[in-house]
Amino acid sequence: MNKVEIIGTGSYVPSKIVDNNELSHTVDTSDEWIISRTGIKQRRISEGEDTSDMATKAAINAIKSAKIEVSDIELIILATATPDNFIPSTSCIVQKNIKAVNATCFDISAACSGLIYGIDAAAQFIRTGRFNTALVIGAETLSKIIDWKDRNTCILFGDGASAVVLRKGEEEGILSIKTGSDGSKGRALICPAVPVNNFLSGNEMYLNKSTVSMDGKEIFKFAVKVLVKLVQELADESNCDLEEIKYIIPHQANYRIIECAAKKLGINSNKFYTNLDLYGNTSAASIGIALDEVYKKSLVKRGDKILIIGFGGGLTYGGIMIEVL
Ligand code: ACO
C-alpha cells in the first residue's frame, strides 16, 4: 500500500462579516444569548458568491501551498450540502475553473463530516495506486438554505470553503481513520430536496424554499458522544496518549459541545483548536478552515500529531489522526 501525505491546505471565506448584533435586528435574539449558548460572535455571509466560487478560491490557495502543478491533480472530491446545482457537480465546476484537466471529479454528501469522508476516500485511491495526487474540498453556502427568520438555526451558520491536497508520499502522514453513520437519526438535522412531483405523482406543483431544521438538543448529545469516542479510539489506534496530540480540530459547531467533550475526556479545552467565534458553523468547510489556519500560523511543526474530527447531518461522524511532515 502507498503512503499518503498532506502537502497543502487552503481556505477562503467571503469578506462580508455579519455579527450577532446585526442578526438581533432581524430575529429576537441577542449577542449575549448567542455567545453564551454557542461561542459564536460573527460569521461570513456570501453576497453572491456560490459554493463553486468559494471552493475554487480555497482550491487555488491549497494548490499554491502544495507547490504542485494543477495538471498533477488526478482526483477532485468536493464535500458539500449546498451545491450550485443538482447537475453538474460542484467539483466539475471547480475543475473547469482551475483547469485541472487530468482530474476525475465527484461530489459527496456527508454534511459536517464531509471533509473527513472526502480525505478518507481520496487516501484510499492513493493507497491502492489508482491516483497519485488528490484535491479534497469542503465548501458551503449555507446562507442559501437557512431560514433567516428562524432564530433557532440562523444564528449558527456561516459560508466558506477549505481544501486539502493529498499525495502519494515517502512518509506516512495519515496515521488512522475512523468513520461511521447513523441514518436512523437522520431527521435530527434536515434540509429537504425537491419532492417527487411528476405527472404520475398527483402532487401539486410547489416550489417551497428548502431550509434547514434541527433538533438542537439531539444533535448536541450526539456530537458530544461521538467526539469523545473518536478522540479515544483514534488515540488508541495511533498508539498515542492524549497529551501527545498537539491539537484536536473538531468540526466548529458550538463551543459548548467542545467544552463538554473536553470535560468528559479529562483534558483542557485549550487542546481543541477553535475559530467558530469568527466563522460560525461552516459545515463541510469548517475543519479545513481551522486546519489551514493552524498550518498558516505555523502552530505545528514536523512530527506533531493533529486529530481532525467531524460530526453532523446524516447522522455522520469521522476522524483522522494526522502526523505533520
Ligand atoms: N436567541 C434567543 N433565544 C433563543 C434562540 C436565539 N437565537 N434560539 C432559541 N432560543 C430560545 C428558545 O426558543 C427557547 O425558548 P423557550 O424556553 O421559551 O422555548 C430557549 O431559547 C432555549 O432553547 P433551547 O433549544 O433549549 O436552547 P439550547 O440551550 O439547547 O441551545 C442550541 C440551542 C444552541 C441550538 C443547542 O441546542 C445546540 O448547540 N445544539 C447543537 C446544534 C448544532 O450545533 N447544530 C449545528 C448543525 S449540526 C452540526 O454541525 C453537528
Side-chain angles (χ1 to χ4, degrees), residues 94-160:
V94 173
Q95 176 196 31
K96 177 195 70 177
N97 292 348
I98 65 174
K99 302 188 176 56
V101 291
N102 296 320
T104 296
C105 307
F106 59 90
D107 288 4
I108 57 170
S109 169
C112 311
S113 313
L115 193 82
I116 303 286
Y117 277 39
I119 294 175
D120 184 17
Q124 306 313 313
F125 278 109
I126 294 171
R127 286 201 194 294
T128 54
R130 177 87 168 84
F131 297 119
N132 289 315
T133 307
L135 173 66
V136 181
I137 303 169
E140 303 283 8
T141 320
L142 292 161
S143 60
K144 64 185 180 179
I145 59 162
I146 297 302
D147 176 353
W148 288 100
K149 293 196 167 67
D150 175 16
R151 68 176 182 173
N152 293 294
T153 51
C154 76
I155 52 130
L156 297 172
F157 299 98
D159 298 331

Side-chain angles (χ1 to χ4, degrees), residues 27-30 33-34 37-38 111-112 150-157 188-189 212 214-223 251-257 281-283 310-313 315-316:
V27 288
D28 181 12
T29 190
S30 65
W33 194 96
I34 300 172
R37 300 296 174 112
T38 70
C112 311
D150 175 16
R151 68 176 182 173
N152 293 294
T153 51
C154 76
I155 52 130
L156 297 172
F157 299 98
L189 179 60
V212 171
M214 162 188 94
D215 178 342
K217 284 190 173 35
E218 183 73 28
I219 293 284
F220 195 101
K221 277 189 284 178
F222 160 77
H251 165 50
Q252 308 284 309
N254 182 325
Y255 192 67
R256 276 166 58 223
I257 291 174
N281 178 345
T282 57
S283 193
F311 43 82
L315 301 177
T316 57

Side-chain angles (χ1 to χ4, degrees), residues 32 71 114 161 167 175 197 214 222 234 240 247 286 323:
E32 193 278 327
S71 57
R167 192 176 59 190
L175 304 184
N197 184 13
M214 162 188 94
F222 160 77
L234 284 158
C240 75
Y247 285 114
S286 90
E323 178 157 341

Side-chain angles (χ1 to χ4, degrees), residues 215-233:
D215 178 342
K217 284 190 173 35
E218 183 73 28
I219 293 284
F220 195 101
K221 277 189 284 178
F222 160 77
V224 174
K225 193 175 99 189
V226 296
L227 185 47
V228 170
K229 173 182 143 83
L230 286 167
V231 171
Q232 286 168 335
E233 290 183 359

